[in-house]
Amino acid sequence: MPKKPAVQEPAPEYDADVEKLLNETKENIEKLRLLGVDELIIKSLCLGKPKLSRLLVSKDRRILLPDYNNMEIKMTPLVKAVYLFFLSHPEGVLLKNLQDYYPELRKWYLETTDRVDISRIDKNIAALTDPLNNSINEKCARIKEAFLSKFNDYLAKHYYVDSNGRGSLKAITLDRKLVSFE
């Protein structure tokens, strides 16, 4: 059976001023590439600055994004406790110093869980704050997954816990003017 030729959509027609700007933009993008500018930077120029939603932590500790149609970001209680902990530290935290934050992490976990077994709660927080345990990195990965399941990394990276490399501060970069707690 003969293959049908692909039907090519006609290119939209613009006035002369728009066509001139489009051609100049294409030329400038090509010049940037020839100068070695990274593709991600070029894409960010084309995409513009993302419209970030406010982040609301409700009284019952639900994480909501009001400007994205009240989207809820769902997490397990321990992961949510880690997220709320990092939200409360805009300056960031060194993971090697996490044991100093044991009482605060425990407080957040008690606010997000319905567990009543205090020894189990303490065991989970001990694992989080143990520098030889990978638990905190696993929880940060779950936080990242929760946001990436809702939208692309271009937006999500503002909401999840990240760092500038091994041994550096871990933080959520979202402007805290966009964050509120009920």
Side-chain angles (χ1 to χ4, degrees), residues 161-177:
V161 181
D162 205 5
S163 69
N164 289 328
R166 191 174 184 91
S168 63
L169 293 170
K170 278 210 174 263
I172 298 168
T173 60
L174 184 66
D175 185 339
R176 291 316 188 272
K177 291 177 189 163

Side-chain angles (χ1 to χ4, degrees), residues 39-98:
E39 282 298 315
L40 287 175
I41 293 172
I42 293 171
K43 285 181 183 178
S44 71
L45 290 172
C46 295
L47 294 172
K49 194 173 180 179
K51 165 69 172 104
L52 299 176
S53 173
R54 293 168 291 137
L55 186 142
L56 171 67
V57 180
S58 69
K59 286 180 186 171
D60 60 351
R61 298 302 183 217
R62 292 174 41 222
I63 298 169
L64 304 168
L65 301 173
D67 302 316
Y68 297 159
N69 204 21
N70 243 7
M71 178 188 300
E72 181 176 1
I73 306 298
K74 295 187 179 196
M75 299 176 198
T76 63
L78 186 55
V79 172
K80 189 179 290 186
V82 170
Y83 189 72
L84 296 174
F85 166 78
F86 277 102
L87 264 184
S88 67
H89 288 276
E91 73 285 358
V93 174
L94 285 173
L95 293 188
K96 69 179 184 177
N97 297 337
L98 210 53

Side-chain angles (χ1 to χ4, degrees), residues 96-110:
K96 69 179 184 177
N97 297 337
L98 210 53
Q99 65 274 9
D100 298 341
Y101 299 95
Y102 184 102
E104 186 180 351
L105 281 160
R106 187 177 188 271
K107 174 192 83 73
W108 284 117
Y109 191 29
L110 287 169

